[in-house]
Amino acid sequence: MAGVSEDRKVPEPEARQHDGPTARLLHRGLGALAGLIAGFSALAVAELAAAAVRPEASPVTAVGGAFIDRTPPWLKDFAVRNFGTNDKLVLQLGILIVLALLAMVVGVFALHHRRAGSAAVLVFGVIGAVAAASRPGGGPTDALPSLVGALVACGVLYLLAGRLTPRSSPAAGGTGGTFDRRRFVVAATAAVAASAGAGALGVRLNASGSAGAVASRKDIVLPSPASPARPVPAGADLRIRGLSSFTTPNKDFYRVDTALVVPRIDATGWRLRIHGKGVARPLTVTFDDLLRRELIERDITLTCVSNEVGGPYVGNARWIGVRLADLLREAGVRPPSKGGPADQLVARSVDGMTIGSPVETVMDGRDALLAVGMNGEPLPFDHGFPVRMVVPGLYGYVSACKWLQDLELTTFADYDAYWVKRSWSQEAPIKTESRIDTPRPFASPKPGTVPVAGVAWAQHRGIARVEVRVDGGAWHPARLAAEDTRDTWRQWVWEWPATTGNHTLEVRATDKDGYTQTSQRVGTVPNGATGWHSVVVSVT
Ligand SMILES: Nc1nc2c(c(=O)[nH]1)N[C@H]1C(S)=C(S)[C@@H](COP(=O)(O)O)O[C@H]1N2
Ligand SMILES: [Mo]
C-alpha cells in the first residue's frame, strides 16, 4: 500500500526527477540527436556550397572517391561481387552511417564539453576539405563546401548543446538538472528545417549545373558513318526467352567505373590532347573535329575484367567513332614494331582515371575507336559522353576509357595506370568465355526438350565452337547463332532432352585460334577469370 500512494503524495523535487537513470538516458539521447542534426546541417549546407563549386566537391562524394581510390583489390572484388552496380550506393550509405554514429558521439560529448565538442566537428570538415581538394580535377575551392558545412554544424551543435545544458538550480546535483525542453525542440526544429531547405536547394542547383552538358548532348546530330556496320545477320539473335539480346540496349548496358558523380561534360568545350613520347606532331582536337572526320560504325562486345565466370559485366553495342590509329598516325606515332619509342597509350579521363593500352594492339588494324555514338545515339553520360575509347579484344580497364580528355604516349616501363597500381596486369586481352543464360540457376523446367542457351565471347578471335554437358557426361555441340563479327559475342543453344531430377549443366567455348576454355577456375585478379560456367537445375 505504502509505496505508490506515498510517491504520489510526496513528489520528488523536479531536479531530482531529472537526475534519474531514465532522465540521464533521455538527456544523452537528446545530445546524440543534437549531434545528428548538426551532421545533417553540415552535409546539407555543403551540398548547397558545392553547387557554387562542383558536385564532386561535396564531402561524402569526395571522401567516397578518396576511399574508392584506396580500396584494395580484394575489397573492390568483394564489393563488385556482392553489390554489383550498387557498390557505390552501398559505399555512400556506409559513409553516412559512420558519419551518423560519429555525430552522435560528438553530440553526447558536447553536452558536457560544449566548446570542445563543437570544435570537434571542424575536424571532420578538415578531413572532407582535404579529400575534396585532392580529388582529380579538384582545386583549393573544392575544400569550401566541407569547411562551410563544418562551420555551420559547429554553430548548430554549440547552440543545441546550449539548450541542453541544465540551468543551475540549487537542487540540481550530479549530471542532471533542468533544461528547457521546449527551447531545445524549437531550436532543433529550426535547424532541421533550415538545413533541409538548403540541402534541397543544393541538390537542385547541382543537378541544373549540368544543364549545359545535357543541352550539348541533345544538340548533337551524329553524321552517318562513312563506313557503316553491316546489318546484324538475321540469325545472330536466336530470340530465345531468357537469352540476352544480341545488341544490349543502352539502358541495360553494364556500368563499371569509379565515378561517384557521373561526369557531365559540355561537348562544345571538350578538347582531346594527343602528346608524349615519339609524338612528332602533338594534336588537340575538338568534338566537332571528330565529327568532321571519317566515321566508322562497328559492333563490339565490351567485357569487364571483374566479370566472374557467369557474371553480368559484358555487353554488346553498335559504336560510332573515329579510328584511333588514324589520329595517332596523324600525330606521327609509330607502333613499336615500326620503331616507335612508346609501347603504351595512356588514356586519361576528366575524373582522373588512367587506362593504358598497348600501342601495338591499338594500331594493328583492328577497329580501335574513339567512340562518340552508342546504339544510334550520342554516348550516354554513364558510358563516357562525349568521347570514350573502345578497343576490340581488350578488357575495359586496359582499353575503354570513358569521359576521355587526354592521350599520352609512354612506355609500360615508365608508367603504371590506375588499375595496374592496384595489382591488375598491365596488359589484358579478353579471355575466351561462355555463359549459360537459360535455364537460370535453380530453375525447375519440365522434363522434355529444354533449350539451354547463352552467349560466348572471344573478341577479335571469334567463337568456333560451344559445347554443353550434363552431370559431367559427354560434351554435346551447341548450335551457334550466325556470327556478326569476330569482335562480338555469339549466341548458342543446345536442345536438352531433360529428365526428372537435379542436374548440373556446364558450358565451354573454343575460339577460332583453337583454344578451348580451361576448366581451371581462377579469380578475376589480376587479368580475368577462367573456368566453366555451370548451372544447377531441378527438372520436375
Ligand atoms: N573514366 C573511366 N573510364 C572507365 C572506367 C572508369 O572507372 N573510369 N572503368 C573501365 C572499366 S573497368 C570498364 S569494364 C569499362 C566499362 O564501360 P561501361 O561502364 O560503359 O560498360 O569502362 C572503363 N572505362
Ligand atoms: Mo572493367
Side-chain angles (χ1 to χ4, degrees):
M1 175 86 213
V4 177
S5 58
E6 232 175 56
D7 270 357
R8 265 196 219 133
K9 271 184 221 144
V10 190
E12 296 252 310
E14 201 193 20
R16 297 291 306 163
Q17 271 181 14
H18 280 276
D19 210 5
T22 357
R24 226 176 303 150
L25 209 63
L26 172 71
H27 192 234
R28 282 203 195 139
L30 291 176
L33 180 63
L36 272 181
I37 293 172
F40 175 62
S41 315
L43 295 185
V45 168
E47 187 68 24
L48 182 57
V53 186
R54 52 176 204 143
E56 291 86 343
S58 91
V60 174
T61 304
V63 170
F67 186 89
I68 289 174
D69 285 353
R70 285 161 186 77
T71 303
W74 62 265
L75 182 56
K76 183 226 172 210
D77 225 44
F78 173 86
V80 169
R81 183 161 46 241
N82 290 284
F83 309 126
T85 312
N86 290 326
D87 57 349
K88 296 190 190 74
L89 192 65
V90 172
L91 170 64
Q92 278 167 308
L93 276 177
I95 292 175
L96 287 177
I97 290 169
V98 170
L99 264 182
L101 291 175
L102 290 170
M104 291 195 285
V105 170
V106 172
V108 173
F109 178 75
L111 288 174
H112 302 291
H113 309 272
R114 195 173 163 203
R115 284 208 184 144
S118 309
V121 172
L122 298 177
V123 174
F124 298 102
V126 170
I127 293 173
V130 169
S134 48
R135 294 305 299 147
T141 52
D142 284 48
L144 283 176
S146 298
L147 294 179
V148 174
L151 272 176
V152 169
C154 175
V156 167
L157 185 57
Y158 189 77
L159 182 104
L160 294 181
R163 301 280 155 106
L164 291 173
T165 307
R167 310 253 190 74
S168 41
S169 122
T175 55
T178 58
F179 64 90
D180 189 337
R181 268 189 222 164
R182 205 182 54 84
R183 274 168 35 102
F184 173 77
V185 170
V186 168
T189 310
V192 169
S195 306
L201 183 61
V203 168
R204 275 187 52 185
L205 288 177
N206 277 319
S208 65
S210 53
V214 173
S216 80
R217 185 173 179 277
K218 278 220 181 78
D219 287 346
I220 290 169
V221 179
L222 292 176
S224 41
S227 164
R230 65 171 188 136
V232 174
D237 204 325
L238 298 172
R239 299 180 185 283
I240 292 169
R241 179 200 284 268
L243 172 59
S244 315
S245 60
F246 178 76
T247 301
T248 314
N250 289 352
K251 64 171 180 23
D252 299 334
F253 208 95
Y254 83 91
R255 177 185 158 206
V256 172
D257 56 59
T258 58
L260 282 175
V261 173
V262 172
R264 292 187 168 221
I265 303 160
D266 188 330
T268 57
W270 180 85
R271 298 279 181 284
L272 171 68
R273 218 160 73 85
I274 304 179
H275 62 107
K277 240 194 187 82
V279 181
R281 296 172 292 277
L283 288 180
T284 300
V285 292
T286 66
F287 190 73
D288 279 340
D289 290 341
L290 286 187
L291 292 195
R292 277 194 291 269
R293 297 178 65 93
E294 181 190 316
L295 295 179
I296 67 173
E297 180 188 48
R298 296 291 182 265
D299 295 336
I300 299 167
T301 299
L302 223 63
T303 309
C304 182
V305 72
S306 294
N307 195 46
E308 308 248 347
V309 172
Y313 304 127
V314 52
N316 181 54
R318 176 157 285 198
W319 308 91
I320 292 182
V322 307
R323 278 199 191 87
L324 181 52
D326 289 353
L327 265 177
L328 294 178
R329 270 190 292 271
E330 261 177 55
V333 175
R334 283 170 296 137
S337 61
K338 299 236 168 68
D343 61 1
Q344 181 176 212
L345 175 68
V346 174
R348 256 188 207 85
S349 69
V350 298
D351 64 330
M353 173 55 59
T354 54
I355 286 185
S357 319
V359 176
E360 198 63 54
T361 309
V362 166
M363 299 185 80
D364 74 356
R366 73 184 70 201
D367 295 318
L369 299 181
L370 290 186
V372 295
M374 179 179 185
N375 290 330
E377 55 171 313
L379 292 179
F381 288 110
D382 280 358
H383 297 289
F385 182 83
V387 180
R388 75 174 304 168
M389 273 180 48
V390 175
V391 183
L394 303 182
Y395 283 119
Y397 87 103
V398 288
S399 70
C401 190
K402 306 194 276 189
W403 313 298
L404 182 66
Q405 70 167 1
D406 186 282
L407 287 172
E408 181 177 357
L409 279 293
T410 179
T411 63
F412 282 110
D414 281 347
Y415 186 76
D416 284 339
Y418 185 93
W419 294 110
V420 178
K421 291 195 184 97
R422 291 159 179 80
S423 76
W424 298 79
S425 301
Q426 281 192 322
E427 299 194 36
I430 295 173
K431 295 177 180 175
T432 302
E433 269 295 329
S434 51
R435 183 181 76 193
I436 299 170
D437 283 356
T438 182
R440 310 289 304 163
F442 310 115
S444 36
K446 292 199 168 56
T449 303
V450 174
V452 179
V455 285
W457 60 89
Q459 288 93 318
H460 212 56
R461 298 183 296 279
I463 290 293
R465 189 167 70 236
V466 171
E467 297 159 293
V468 181
R469 69 176 186 179
V470 184
D471 301 327
W475 288 102
H476 305 278
R479 177 163 67 86
L480 289 178
E483 178 176 70
D484 182 11
T485 78
R486 59 182 174 147
D487 293 338
T488 58
W489 62 9
R490 205 162 170 185
Q491 296 185 353
W492 54 267
V493 60
W494 176 62
E495 307 287 343
W496 172 34
T499 55
T500 310
N502 291 335
H503 299 290
T504 303
L505 300 163
E506 284 172 298
V507 64
R508 69 175 186 191
T510 300
D511 63 31
K512 288 184 172 171
D513 285 353
Y515 171 81
T516 300
Q517 266 182 260
T518 170
S519 63
Q520 203 192 336
R521 281 256 176 180
V522 307
T524 56
V525 192
N527 51 30
T530 66
W532 296 333
H533 186 212
S534 67
V535 164
V536 176
V537 297
S538 118
V539 180
T540 45

